[in-house]
Amino acid sequence: MGKTNFTPEESLLLILKTIEQTKNRFKESGHIFVYWGTLTLIVFGSQLILSLLELYKFTMWPVYLFPLSAFYMIYIWIREKKKNLPKTYIENVLGNLGWIFGMNLMIMGFFCSDKLGDAMAPVFIILFALFIVVCGLSIKFKPLIIGGILTNLIGLGSFFIERNYHGYSIMLMAVVGLIIPGILLNIARRKDHV
Amino acid sequence: MFKDLDPILHSQLRLSIVSILMSIHEANFNFIKDETKATSGNLSIQIKKLQDVGYIKVRKTFKNNYPNTSLSITKKGIEAFESYVNSLKNYINPK
């Protein structure tokens, strides 16, 4: 390893190999997208079922799964931090962006819903779209970029539909923008094609 | 004719260390050791050389009562690496 008389070609090859090898160890997985997508689907699906059963006073209950999940994420984050594993620049940026995004969404959802009114769901979906597109572009993964663009369209389209149907938009967003790209990312990671 | 290659970076182990740090925000000593498969002694020497020229930053802390050495690349290190890669490109494809 201490060799200094290697050719420029060998040197470039070493750089490429090292960077590639290091990045491969830290390829982003799609679990986080599948997790939040499934949770969103469960929360809004449950709300829809409760509404159909006319159990209106319980419709807010499933929403509390979001802060509970946020606490679970904090627990995972502390556990990972203790392992002292290195992070790539992208992981670092996306991790911080995820926290800021999630906190804002939570605050907006619980404390600003009356101010946002009918625009709440479309705004949420568009914010999600931005996050998904940024993630897709950062890790150069097309299904996430496409998922983000479709989410953006769902968000814009939601401005033109009645508030009663916004739950469907959010569920569609969860499937198109989070669950499907997340599953594809997991498959790609396994195949080592990302 | 060609720009001289940076002698600090033109060593396999030092180049590997810098290449790893180019793609990672911060890495600890053991991680670099695993990735490069170098011995602790040799790795320490090369890290010291890179630190002395200001290419990397070394942070020594304690984690659960064990010493923990974290390494990260500096702005000077990034510039040196980029310049080194450009020099290599010139060697391989001279205009």
Side-chain angles (χ1 to χ4, degrees):
Chain A
M1 261 287 180
K3 184 172 151 188
T4 53
N5 58 345
F6 54 125
T7 64
E9 285 86 353
E10 283 176 322
S11 192
L12 259 184
L13 206 66
L14 176 77
I15 293 169
L16 286 173
K17 208 178 114 194
T18 311
I19 292 177
E20 198 57 36
Q21 190 181 311
T22 312
K23 278 187 174 171
N24 280 342
R25 281 189 59 158
F26 296 97
K27 268 181 186 165
E28 288 74 10
S29 82
H31 297 310
I32 194 89
F33 295 102
V34 178
Y35 176 80
W36 284 102
T38 310
L39 186 77
T40 307
L41 200 64
I42 290 170
V43 167
F44 286 92
S46 311
Q47 278 195 318
L48 197 75
I49 292 165
L50 288 169
S51 301
L52 289 172
L53 295 172
E54 294 182 359
L55 296 166
Y56 300 112
K57 62 176 180 178
F58 301 113
T59 52
M60 265 307 278
W61 285 25
V63 179
Y64 292 106
L65 280 174
F66 284 125
L68 280 177
S69 289
F71 284 123
Y72 174 66
M73 285 285 130
I74 292 170
Y75 162 73
I76 298 279
W77 178 73
I78 292 169
R79 209 181 60 180
E80 290 296 309
K81 201 146 177 82
K82 274 186 185 163
K83 284 184 192 164
N84 201 22
L85 291 170
K87 276 187 170 177
T88 60
Y89 287 98
I90 290 173
E91 264 185 315
N92 218 30
V93 170
L94 292 184
N96 290 326
L97 183 69
W99 280 114
I100 296 165
F101 173 74
M103 291 305 287
N104 273 296
L105 232 56
M106 215 73 87
I107 292 166
M108 279 164 70
F110 284 100
F111 304 107
C112 314
S113 55
D114 52 334
K115 305 261 179 208
L116 287 164
D118 286 356
M120 191 164 92
V123 167
F124 269 35
I125 297 171
I126 292 168
L127 286 175
F128 254 111
L130 290 176
F131 179 69
I132 298 165
V133 169
V134 169
C135 287
L137 289 171
S138 305
I139 64 170
K140 295 188 178 77
F141 189 64
K142 265 189 194 159
L144 262 182
I145 301 169
I146 296 165
I149 293 168
L150 291 174
T151 301
N152 204 155
L153 294 173
I154 294 167
L156 291 172
S158 301
F159 277 115
F160 302 99
I161 59 169
E162 265 184 60
R163 190 186 180 149
N164 294 348
Y165 299 105
H166 282 173
Y168 292 107
S169 302
I170 294 175
M171 286 196 286
L172 185 64
M173 178 275 297
V175 174
V176 171
L178 298 169
I179 298 174
I180 295 173
I183 291 170
L184 291 175
L185 184 57
N186 280 340
I187 294 169
R189 195 190 179 202
R190 250 177 265 135
K191 284 183 180 171
D192 210 16
H193 279 169
V194 182
Chain B
M1 185 164 67
F2 298 116
K3 199 177 166 188
D4 283 332
L5 290 172
D6 185 342
I8 292 290
L9 290 179
H10 200 63
S11 137
Q12 277 196 0
L13 183 51
R14 288 195 293 269
L15 189 58
S16 293
I17 297 168
V18 173
S19 299
I20 291 168
L21 294 176
M22 280 298 286
S23 39
I24 284 178
H25 180 243
E26 195 175 55
N28 63 28
F29 185 88
N30 288 333
F31 175 81
I32 304 266
K33 194 181 154 205
D34 287 347
E35 288 292 295
T36 57
K37 292 170 185 72
T39 61
S40 299
N42 192 13
L43 189 59
S44 297
I45 292 166
Q46 306 311 327
I47 286 172
K48 182 83 177 62
K49 282 183 184 172
L50 288 166
Q51 189 190 7
D52 288 346
V53 291
Y55 288 179
I56 64 168
K57 200 167 73 186
V58 179
R59 199 165 55 94
K60 287 179 192 269
T61 52
F62 278 91
K63 208 140 203 166
N64 303 326
N65 289 331
Y66 288 101
N68 178 50
T69 306
S70 300
L71 314 170
S72 59
I73 197 154
T74 61
K75 198 180 168 215
K76 192 179 172 188
I78 294 170
E79 284 165 3
F81 182 80
E82 284 170 352
S83 155
Y84 179 79
V85 171
N86 286 333
S87 306
L88 287 179
K89 283 181 191 164
N90 287 339
Y91 268 102
I92 295 165
N93 291 317
K95 285 173 188 169

